[in-house]
PDB file of all heavy atoms in Angstrom:
ATOM      1  N   LYS A 621     206.781 -17.826  98.331  1.00 83.00           N
ATOM      2  CA  LYS A 621     205.595 -18.501  97.828  1.00 83.00           C
ATOM      3  C   LYS A 621     205.799 -18.844  96.351  1.00 83.00           C
ATOM      4  O   LYS A 621     205.685 -18.015  95.511  1.00 83.00           O
ATOM      5  CB  LYS A 621     204.255 -17.653  97.940  1.00 83.00           C
ATOM      6  CG  LYS A 621     204.027 -17.237  99.473  1.00 83.00           C
ATOM      7  CD  LYS A 621     203.891 -18.528 100.297  1.00 83.00           C
ATOM      8  CE  LYS A 621     203.541 -18.027 101.737  1.00 83.00           C
ATOM      9  NZ  LYS A 621     203.898 -18.968 102.798  1.00 83.00           N
ATOM     10  N   ARG A 622     206.078 -20.092  96.083  1.00 83.00           N
ATOM     11  CA  ARG A 622     206.292 -20.532  94.764  1.00 83.00           C
ATOM     12  C   ARG A 622     204.977 -20.917  94.036  1.00 83.00           C
ATOM     13  O   ARG A 622     204.011 -21.282  94.734  1.00 83.00           O
ATOM     14  CB  ARG A 622     207.198 -21.826  94.705  1.00 83.00           C
ATOM     15  CG  ARG A 622     208.520 -21.623  95.494  1.00 83.00           C
ATOM     16  CD  ARG A 622     209.615 -21.449  94.570  1.00 83.00           C
ATOM     17  NE  ARG A 622     210.894 -21.375  95.363  1.00 83.00           N
ATOM     18  CZ  ARG A 622     211.710 -20.408  95.173  1.00 83.00           C
ATOM     19  NH1 ARG A 622     211.378 -19.366  94.384  1.00 83.00           N
ATOM     20  NH2 ARG A 622     212.821 -20.338  95.802  1.00 83.00           N
ATOM     21  N   PRO A 623     204.899 -20.919  92.736  1.00 86.00           N
ATOM     22  CA  PRO A 623     203.671 -21.292  92.105  1.00 86.00           C
ATOM     23  C   PRO A 623     203.438 -22.750  92.250  1.00 86.00           C
ATOM     24  O   PRO A 623     204.376 -23.555  92.292  1.00 86.00           O
ATOM     25  CB  PRO A 623     203.940 -20.976  90.584  1.00 86.00           C
ATOM     26  CG  PRO A 623     205.210 -20.198  90.532  1.00 86.00           C
ATOM     27  CD  PRO A 623     205.889 -20.354  91.834  1.00 86.00           C
ATOM     28  N   GLY A 624     202.275 -23.147  92.200  1.00 86.00           N
ATOM     29  CA  GLY A 624     201.835 -24.620  92.254  1.00 86.00           C
ATOM     30  C   GLY A 624     200.480 -24.751  92.856  1.00 86.00           C
ATOM     31  O   GLY A 624     199.844 -23.841  93.365  1.00 86.00           O
ATOM     32  N   TYR A 625     199.991 -25.980  92.792  1.00 86.00           N
ATOM     33  CA  TYR A 625     198.681 -26.234  93.273  1.00 86.00           C
ATOM     34  C   TYR A 625     198.693 -26.227  94.839  1.00 86.00           C
ATOM     35  O   TYR A 625     199.635 -26.936  95.389  1.00 86.00           O
ATOM     36  CB  TYR A 625     198.166 -27.584  92.901  1.00 86.00           C
ATOM     37  CG  TYR A 625     197.876 -27.647  91.398  1.00 86.00           C
ATOM     38  CD1 TYR A 625     198.811 -28.146  90.452  1.00 86.00           C
ATOM     39  CD2 TYR A 625     196.645 -27.119  90.877  1.00 86.00           C
ATOM     40  CE1 TYR A 625     198.534 -28.100  89.160  1.00 86.00           C
ATOM     41  CE2 TYR A 625     196.415 -27.132  89.551  1.00 86.00           C
ATOM     42  CZ  TYR A 625     197.306 -27.721  88.667  1.00 86.00           C
ATOM     43  OH  TYR A 625     197.064 -27.673  87.326  1.00 86.00           O
ATOM     44  N   THR A 626     197.888 -25.640  95.510  1.00 90.00           N
ATOM     45  CA  THR A 626     198.031 -25.446  96.951  1.00 90.00           C
ATOM     46  C   THR A 626     197.021 -26.304  97.726  1.00 90.00           C
ATOM     47  O   THR A 626     197.272 -26.606  98.926  1.00 90.00           O
ATOM     48  CB  THR A 626     197.848 -24.039  97.447  1.00 90.00           C
ATOM     49  OG1 THR A 626     196.551 -23.561  97.025  1.00 90.00           O
ATOM     50  CG2 THR A 626     198.921 -23.037  96.772  1.00 90.00           C
ATOM     51  N   HIS A 627     195.833 -26.682  97.088  1.00 91.00           N
ATOM     52  CA  HIS A 627     194.885 -27.406  97.919  1.00 91.00           C
ATOM     53  C   HIS A 627     193.803 -27.978  96.832  1.00 91.00           C
ATOM     54  O   HIS A 627     193.662 -27.562  95.841  1.00 91.00           O
ATOM     55  CB  HIS A 627     194.285 -26.668  99.040  1.00 91.00           C
ATOM     56  CG  HIS A 627     193.387 -25.587  98.572  1.00 91.00           C
ATOM     57  ND1 HIS A 627     193.901 -24.386  98.165  1.00 91.00           N
ATOM     58  CD2 HIS A 627     192.046 -25.478  98.481  1.00 91.00           C
ATOM     59  CE1 HIS A 627     192.888 -23.579  97.882  1.00 91.00           C
ATOM     60  NE2 HIS A 627     191.771 -24.232  98.017  1.00 91.00           N
ATOM     61  N   ALA A 628     193.135 -29.020  97.430  1.00 93.00           N
ATOM     62  CA  ALA A 628     191.894 -29.494  96.781  1.00 93.00           C
ATOM     63  C   ALA A 628     190.788 -29.103  97.618  1.00 93.00           C
ATOM     64  O   ALA A 628     190.907 -29.074  98.929  1.00 93.00           O
ATOM     65  CB  ALA A 628     192.020 -31.107  96.584  1.00 93.00           C
ATOM     66  N   ALA A 629     189.607 -28.839  97.047  1.00 92.00           N
ATOM     67  CA  ALA A 629     188.463 -28.311  97.784  1.00 92.00           C
ATOM     68  C   ALA A 629     187.353 -29.394  97.523  1.00 92.00           C
ATOM     69  O   ALA A 629     187.036 -29.730  96.397  1.00 92.00           O
ATOM     70  CB  ALA A 629     188.064 -26.909  97.485  1.00 92.00           C
ATOM     71  N   PHE A 630     186.601 -29.695  98.648  1.00 93.00           N
ATOM     72  CA  PHE A 630     185.444 -30.619  98.547  1.00 93.00           C
ATOM     73  C   PHE A 630     184.205 -30.081  99.062  1.00 93.00           C
ATOM     74  O   PHE A 630     184.337 -29.082  99.930  1.00 93.00           O
ATOM     75  CB  PHE A 630     185.828 -31.927  99.316  1.00 93.00           C
ATOM     76  CG  PHE A 630     187.171 -32.629  98.908  1.00 93.00           C
ATOM     77  CD1 PHE A 630     188.302 -32.277  99.444  1.00 93.00           C
ATOM     78  CD2 PHE A 630     187.191 -33.465  97.836  1.00 93.00           C
ATOM     79  CE1 PHE A 630     189.533 -32.914  99.171  1.00 93.00           C
ATOM     80  CE2 PHE A 630     188.364 -34.055  97.445  1.00 93.00           C
ATOM     81  CZ  PHE A 630     189.481 -33.718  98.121  1.00 93.00           C
ATOM     82  N   ILE A 631     183.124 -30.499  98.628  1.00 93.00           N
ATOM     83  CA  ILE A 631     181.813 -29.921  99.134  1.00 93.00           C
ATOM     84  C   ILE A 631     181.230 -31.079 100.032  1.00 93.00           C
ATOM     85  O   ILE A 631     181.231 -32.235  99.801  1.00 93.00           O
ATOM     86  CB  ILE A 631     180.894 -29.745  97.928  1.00 93.00           C
ATOM     87  CG1 ILE A 631     181.460 -28.602  96.991  1.00 93.00           C
ATOM     88  CG2 ILE A 631     179.432 -29.404  98.474  1.00 93.00           C
ATOM     89  CD1 ILE A 631     180.602 -28.495  95.746  1.00 93.00           C
ATOM     90  N   VAL A 632     180.796 -30.622 101.181  1.00 94.00           N
ATOM     91  CA  VAL A 632     180.043 -31.478 102.189  1.00 94.00           C
ATOM     92  C   VAL A 632     178.660 -30.919 102.408  1.00 94.00           C
ATOM     93  O   VAL A 632     178.377 -29.721 102.213  1.00 94.00           O
ATOM     94  CB  VAL A 632     180.760 -31.550 103.513  1.00 94.00           C
ATOM     95  CG1 VAL A 632     182.175 -32.157 103.355  1.00 94.00           C
ATOM     96  CG2 VAL A 632     180.959 -30.228 104.102  1.00 94.00           C
ATOM     97  N   ASP A 633     177.822 -31.828 102.889  1.00 92.00           N
ATOM     98  CA  ASP A 633     176.404 -31.510 103.152  1.00 92.00           C
ATOM     99  C   ASP A 633     176.247 -30.602 104.429  1.00 92.00           C
ATOM    100  O   ASP A 633     175.457 -29.728 104.426  1.00 92.00           O
ATOM    101  CB  ASP A 633     175.472 -32.729 103.257  1.00 92.00           C
ATOM    102  CG  ASP A 633     175.247 -33.502 102.023  1.00 92.00           C
ATOM    103  OD1 ASP A 633     175.394 -32.783 100.920  1.00 92.00           O
ATOM    104  OD2 ASP A 633     175.117 -34.659 102.085  1.00 92.00           O
ATOM    105  N   SER A 634     177.041 -30.900 105.385  1.00 92.00           N
ATOM    106  CA  SER A 634     176.894 -30.258 106.664  1.00 92.00           C
ATOM    107  C   SER A 634     178.290 -29.937 107.237  1.00 92.00           C
ATOM    108  O   SER A 634     178.955 -30.891 107.665  1.00 92.00           O
ATOM    109  CB  SER A 634     176.066 -31.057 107.628  1.00 92.00           C
ATOM    110  OG  SER A 634     176.146 -30.429 108.924  1.00 92.00           O
ATOM    111  N   MET A 635     178.613 -28.588 107.387  1.00 92.00           N
ATOM    112  CA  MET A 635     179.851 -28.212 108.001  1.00 92.00           C
ATOM    113  C   MET A 635     179.880 -28.612 109.473  1.00 92.00           C
ATOM    114  O   MET A 635     180.890 -29.039 109.947  1.00 92.00           O
ATOM    115  CB  MET A 635     180.044 -26.678 107.928  1.00 92.00           C
ATOM    116  CG  MET A 635     181.328 -26.198 108.268  1.00 92.00           C
ATOM    117  SD  MET A 635     182.675 -26.988 107.260  1.00 92.00           S
ATOM    118  CE  MET A 635     182.294 -26.489 105.676  1.00 92.00           C
ATOM    119  N   ASP A 636     178.702 -28.493 110.139  1.00 93.00           N
ATOM    120  CA  ASP A 636     178.693 -28.773 111.546  1.00 93.00           C
ATOM    121  C   ASP A 636     178.984 -30.305 111.784  1.00 93.00           C
ATOM    122  O   ASP A 636     179.788 -30.625 112.717  1.00 93.00           O
ATOM    123  CB  ASP A 636     177.337 -28.505 112.210  1.00 93.00           C
ATOM    124  CG  ASP A 636     177.059 -26.969 112.267  1.00 93.00           C
ATOM    125  OD1 ASP A 636     178.047 -26.248 112.229  1.00 93.00           O
ATOM    126  OD2 ASP A 636     175.909 -26.606 112.169  1.00 93.00           O
ATOM    127  N   GLU A 637     178.444 -31.124 110.924  1.00 94.00           N
ATOM    128  CA  GLU A 637     178.694 -32.570 111.089  1.00 94.00           C
ATOM    129  C   GLU A 637     180.146 -32.819 110.731  1.00 94.00           C
ATOM    130  O   GLU A 637     180.696 -33.746 111.439  1.00 94.00           O
ATOM    131  CB  GLU A 637     177.821 -33.387 110.181  1.00 94.00           C
ATOM    132  CG  GLU A 637     176.386 -33.397 110.607  1.00 94.00           C
ATOM    133  CD  GLU A 637     175.498 -34.200 109.641  1.00 94.00           C
ATOM    134  OE1 GLU A 637     175.922 -35.066 108.944  1.00 94.00           O
ATOM    135  OE2 GLU A 637     174.244 -34.052 109.723  1.00 94.00           O
ATOM    136  N   LEU A 638     180.736 -32.234 109.756  1.00 95.00           N
ATOM    137  CA  LEU A 638     182.152 -32.380 109.510  1.00 95.00           C
ATOM    138  C   LEU A 638     183.025 -31.959 110.674  1.00 95.00           C
ATOM    139  O   LEU A 638     183.917 -32.735 110.999  1.00 95.00           O
ATOM    140  CB  LEU A 638     182.566 -31.618 108.211  1.00 95.00           C
ATOM    141  CG  LEU A 638     183.988 -31.683 107.860  1.00 95.00           C
ATOM    142  CD1 LEU A 638     184.502 -33.020 107.467  1.00 95.00           C
ATOM    143  CD2 LEU A 638     184.446 -30.670 106.758  1.00 95.00           C
ATOM    144  N   VAL A 639     182.817 -30.771 111.237  1.00 95.00           N
ATOM    145  CA  VAL A 639     183.547 -30.400 112.340  1.00 95.00           C
ATOM    146  C   VAL A 639     183.566 -31.383 113.492  1.00 95.00           C
ATOM    147  O   VAL A 639     184.551 -31.740 114.163  1.00 95.00           O
ATOM    148  CB  VAL A 639     183.095 -28.985 112.815  1.00 95.00           C
ATOM    149  CG1 VAL A 639     183.741 -28.543 114.171  1.00 95.00           C
ATOM    150  CG2 VAL A 639     183.475 -27.945 111.748  1.00 95.00           C
ATOM    151  N   GLU A 640     182.267 -31.944 113.773  1.00 96.00           N
ATOM    152  CA  GLU A 640     182.200 -32.953 114.770  1.00 96.00           C
ATOM    153  C   GLU A 640     182.927 -34.196 114.490  1.00 96.00           C
ATOM    154  O   GLU A 640     183.644 -34.768 115.272  1.00 96.00           O
ATOM    155  CB  GLU A 640     180.656 -33.295 115.034  1.00 96.00           C
ATOM    156  CG  GLU A 640     179.846 -32.184 115.652  1.00 96.00           C
ATOM    157  CD  GLU A 640     178.421 -32.491 115.633  1.00 96.00           C
ATOM    158  OE1 GLU A 640     177.991 -33.566 115.305  1.00 96.00           O
ATOM    159  OE2 GLU A 640     177.537 -31.498 115.918  1.00 96.00           O
ATOM    160  N   TRP A 641     182.884 -34.610 113.237  1.00 96.00           N
ATOM    161  CA  TRP A 641     183.538 -35.799 112.811  1.00 96.00           C
ATOM    162  C   TRP A 641     185.140 -35.641 112.854  1.00 96.00           C
ATOM    163  O   TRP A 641     185.839 -36.502 113.322  1.00 96.00           O
ATOM    164  CB  TRP A 641     183.118 -36.142 111.335  1.00 96.00           C
ATOM    165  CG  TRP A 641     183.883 -37.386 110.816  1.00 96.00           C
ATOM    166  CD1 TRP A 641     183.527 -38.746 110.970  1.00 96.00           C
ATOM    167  CD2 TRP A 641     185.042 -37.464 110.044  1.00 96.00           C
ATOM    168  NE1 TRP A 641     184.317 -39.552 110.465  1.00 96.00           N
ATOM    169  CE2 TRP A 641     185.360 -38.812 109.838  1.00 96.00           C
ATOM    170  CE3 TRP A 641     185.883 -36.535 109.577  1.00 96.00           C
ATOM    171  CZ2 TRP A 641     186.421 -39.219 109.105  1.00 96.00           C
ATOM    172  CZ3 TRP A 641     187.012 -36.928 108.824  1.00 96.00           C
ATOM    173  CH2 TRP A 641     187.282 -38.253 108.690  1.00 96.00           C
ATOM    174  N   LEU A 642     185.578 -34.489 112.362  1.00 96.00           N
ATOM    175  CA  LEU A 642     186.985 -34.219 112.519  1.00 96.00           C
ATOM    176  C   LEU A 642     187.543 -34.266 113.949  1.00 96.00           C
ATOM    177  O   LEU A 642     188.592 -34.797 114.351  1.00 96.00           O
ATOM    178  CB  LEU A 642     187.329 -32.777 111.908  1.00 96.00           C
ATOM    179  CG  LEU A 642     187.148 -32.701 110.415  1.00 96.00           C
ATOM    180  CD1 LEU A 642     187.213 -31.186 109.976  1.00 96.00           C
ATOM    181  CD2 LEU A 642     188.248 -33.564 109.678  1.00 96.00           C
ATOM    182  N   ALA A 643     186.652 -33.701 114.909  1.00 97.00           N
ATOM    183  CA  ALA A 643     186.971 -33.840 116.365  1.00 97.00           C
ATOM    184  C   ALA A 643     187.136 -35.246 116.790  1.00 97.00           C
ATOM    185  O   ALA A 643     188.098 -35.700 117.462  1.00 97.00           O
ATOM    186  CB  ALA A 643     186.101 -32.914 117.150  1.00 97.00           C
ATOM    187  N   ARG A 644     186.080 -36.040 116.438  1.00 97.00           N
ATOM    188  CA  ARG A 644     186.073 -37.557 116.872  1.00 97.00           C
ATOM    189  C   ARG A 644     187.271 -38.242 116.234  1.00 97.00           C
ATOM    190  O   ARG A 644     187.879 -39.250 116.867  1.00 97.00           O
ATOM    191  CB  ARG A 644     184.809 -38.196 116.400  1.00 97.00           C
ATOM    192  CG  ARG A 644     183.700 -37.879 117.200  1.00 97.00           C
ATOM    193  CD  ARG A 644     182.449 -38.808 116.944  1.00 97.00           C
ATOM    194  NE  ARG A 644     182.080 -38.886 115.521  1.00 97.00           N
ATOM    195  CZ  ARG A 644     181.231 -38.163 114.805  1.00 97.00           C
ATOM    196  NH1 ARG A 644     180.651 -37.172 115.445  1.00 97.00           N
ATOM    197  NH2 ARG A 644     181.015 -38.336 113.592  1.00 97.00           N
ATOM    198  N   GLU A 645     187.715 -37.890 115.054  1.00 96.00           N
ATOM    199  CA  GLU A 645     188.864 -38.409 114.347  1.00 96.00           C
ATOM    200  C   GLU A 645     190.183 -37.995 114.779  1.00 96.00           C
ATOM    201  O   GLU A 645     191.214 -38.374 114.246  1.00 96.00           O
ATOM    202  CB  GLU A 645     188.592 -38.472 112.924  1.00 96.00           C
ATOM    203  CG  GLU A 645     187.470 -39.232 112.320  1.00 96.00           C
ATOM    204  CD  GLU A 645     187.640 -40.786 112.502  1.00 96.00           C
ATOM    205  OE1 GLU A 645     188.702 -41.264 112.153  1.00 96.00           O
ATOM    206  OE2 GLU A 645     186.726 -41.396 112.907  1.00 96.00           O
ATOM    207  N   ASN A 646     190.228 -36.936 115.644  1.00 97.00           N
ATOM    208  CA  ASN A 646     191.423 -36.271 116.012  1.00 97.00           C
ATOM    209  C   ASN A 646     192.184 -35.686 114.791  1.00 97.00           C
ATOM    210  O   ASN A 646     193.427 -35.816 114.729  1.00 97.00           O
ATOM    211  CB  ASN A 646     192.359 -37.198 116.774  1.00 97.00           C
ATOM    212  CG  ASN A 646     191.747 -37.508 118.173  1.00 97.00           C
ATOM    213  OD1 ASN A 646     191.255 -36.595 118.847  1.00 97.00           O
ATOM    214  ND2 ASN A 646     191.716 -38.754 118.492  1.00 97.00           N
ATOM    215  N   ILE A 647     191.504 -35.102 113.861  1.00 96.00           N
ATOM    216  CA  ILE A 647     192.069 -34.485 112.746  1.00 96.00           C
ATOM    217  C   ILE A 647     191.926 -32.954 112.985  1.00 96.00           C
ATOM    218  O   ILE A 647     190.833 -32.440 113.090  1.00 96.00           O
ATOM    219  CB  ILE A 647     191.294 -34.886 111.357  1.00 96.00           C
ATOM    220  CG1 ILE A 647     191.522 -36.376 111.128  1.00 96.00           C
ATOM    221  CG2 ILE A 647     191.923 -33.994 110.280  1.00 96.00           C
ATOM    222  CD1 ILE A 647     190.738 -36.885 110.029  1.00 96.00           C
TER     223      ILE A 647
END
C-alpha cells in the first residue's frame, strides 16, 4: 500500500435512490 489519494467522496440526498440508479446504470 503506497501513499497517495485513494478516493473522492461525494454527498447524495438519498442512498436508496443512488443504489437504485446504480443498478439501472449497471454500475
Side-chain angles (χ1 to χ4, degrees):
K621 302 301 183 209
R622 305 255 184 242
Y625 293 98
T626 59
H627 67 281
F630 304 94
I631 296 171
V632 295
D633 290 333
S634 169
M635 190 58 63
D636 293 334
E637 288 178 24
L638 176 66
V639 170
E640 291 171 10
W641 181 84
L642 291 169
R644 284 193 309 273
E645 293 291 316
N646 293 314
I647 298 173

